[in-house]
Amino acid sequence: MDLRRLETLLAVADEEHFGRAAERTFLSKATVTEHIKHLERELGVTLLERAPVRLTPAGHRLVRHARSLLTAAEAARADVTDAVRAAPGTLRVGVMGHGSAELTPAAVQAFRRAHPEIDLRLVALDFTEHVSALLEHRVDIAFVRPAPHDERVEVDVLTTERRIVVVPARWEVADAPQLHLADVLDLPFIRLPEHTPRPFTDYLYFTAARDGEAPRCSEDAAVSPQQVLATAAAGRGAGSALESFQRFYPWPGTRCVPVADAPWEHSVLASRAHERDPAVRAFRALATGIARELGPGLRLTPA
């Protein structure tokens, strides 16, 4: 239920007039009318009698709830803002690869606008730093994938995307509109360093679909998306990623092909469990709010 529409309902209820409610909310009369109609369609009830304008019994009940909801929302907003302003400092945000697609720059920009007193610094993370940078206090919060299963870490799921493989353009599989796990498990995958955390290794190699068998790896190793792409372009191995990868890394000599039957995977915002830093809490609130707003549509509308 949209809080803006609830604010419009309260204005109409208080003013008992659509025109005055429009002036109070700085909306057009047509927009005020549409907000009320949308709420009525959403709830399946009539909220207002039109001549004269007054609340129905259902409208009275919703107004009581609306006042409580709006008060709680404003209190939450003020609490987060005051907490961060009371503790200026530095926030180090780790980003693995392209992070959580368009959500990453959106969250960073929103935080910088809301809290200019906080020095937000971006820290690039490679594949071997899945959550180690966070646990070793080299970053305060991090955009990573996949979601770690570690009691020392809390995660907020930001995107859920289908999987792709990144392959040399001259390989036969590169021309397929999509592949299946049976097609990709025997590909020579680019090697990861031995100290790469197991969750990321399992993610890259589709380990859950291998019944415990080790992948066939190329001789070339990589710890970053750029190294994966350069190695694939040279025809020396394959990598895997989330679908949004191809929007951020168009690379000559490579192709990104969807894997139709691979389970979809999350990208997450990871923070230390029981983190009390108000800047971290504020960043999480902003990032998850943007994720809810965008929903499955990851792309931001250009300004």
Side-chain angles (χ1 to χ4, degrees):
M1 193 174 297
D2 194 313
L3 294 179
R4 293 170 299 177
R5 296 191 179 102
L6 293 177
E7 289 176 340
T8 302
L9 174 64
L10 291 184
V12 176
D14 292 342
E15 300 293 340
E16 297 184 338
H17 191 277
F18 279 74
R20 290 195 296 270
E23 293 176 1
R24 171 173 158 177
T25 57
F26 302 100
L27 299 173
S28 68
K29 187 176 178 181
T31 300
V32 170
T33 300
E34 179 53 35
H35 280 191
I36 300 302
K37 287 182 177 178
H38 189 283
L39 285 171
E40 290 179 329
R41 288 194 300 268
E42 183 179 3
L43 296 171
V45 297
T46 300
L47 299 172
L48 289 165
E49 295 176 358
R50 266 53 172 189
V53 176
R54 58 187 179 187
L55 291 168
T56 64
H60 278 290
R61 291 194 178 193
L62 181 58
V63 161
R64 289 198 300 270
H65 290 296
R67 294 192 194 280
S68 297
L69 286 170
L70 292 169
T71 298
E74 182 56 36
R77 189 180 300 115
D79 181 62
V80 170
T81 301
D82 290 345
V84 174
R85 287 177 177 168
T90 299
L91 180 69
R92 298 163 301 171
V93 179
V95 184
M96 176 184 281
H98 67 293
S100 293
E102 287 82 359
L103 289 170
T104 302
V108 168
Q109 292 164 16
F111 186 88
R112 281 176 167 159
R113 286 194 300 268
H115 304 292
E117 75 283 0
I118 301 293
D119 180 14
L120 186 153
R121 300 179 185 179
L122 297 177
V123 180
L125 303 179
D126 66 35
F127 299 158
T128 69
E129 298 175 292
H130 181 233
V131 292
S132 61
L134 185 66
L135 295 175
E136 293 168 8
H137 292 258
R138 288 184 280 117
V139 298
D140 304 303
I141 197 163
F143 292 92
V144 301
R145 59 192 177 280
H149 299 289
D150 190 318
E151 63 182 10
R152 298 170 295 174
V153 177
E154 293 182 357
V155 299
D156 298 298
V157 174
L158 298 183
T159 72
T160 303
E161 305 176 52
R162 67 176 175 172
R163 298 297 304 280
I164 61 170
V165 287
V166 184
V167 297
R170 61 176 177 266
W171 284 6
E172 184 177 351
V173 294
D175 296 324
Q178 64 179 24
L179 297 170
H180 292 83
L181 283 167
D183 304 316
V184 304
L185 294 184
D186 288 332
L187 294 177
F189 278 85
I190 296 165
R191 184 170 50 84
L192 294 172
E194 291 185 1
H195 62 286
T196 303
R198 182 64 180 269
F200 190 83
T201 302
D202 290 346
Y203 156 84
L204 186 77
Y205 295 150
F206 300 100
T207 297
R210 293 181 178 278
D211 294 328
E213 293 185 8
R216 184 161 64 99
C217 289
S218 70
E219 294 181 359
D220 299 79
V223 296
S224 71
Q226 291 80 6
Q227 290 177 337
V228 169
L229 287 159
T231 304
R236 297 185 56 84
S240 73
L242 300 180
E243 185 175 28
S244 58
F245 180 95
Q246 60 193 315
R247 298 203 295 273
F248 290 80
Y249 299 108
W251 200 281
T254 67
R255 295 286 187 276
C256 294
V257 187
V259 184
D261 56 343
W264 288 37
E265 189 59 80
H266 303 311
S267 74
V268 303
L269 186 63
S271 55
R272 289 181 288 272
H274 313 300
E275 178 62 71
R276 301 180 65 85
D277 185 339
V280 171
R281 289 158 47 198
F283 191 90
R284 287 180 65 184
L286 277 170
T288 54
I290 293 170
R292 286 194 299 271
E293 181 180 338
L294 291 181
L298 293 175
R299 296 174 188 259
L300 293 178
T301 303

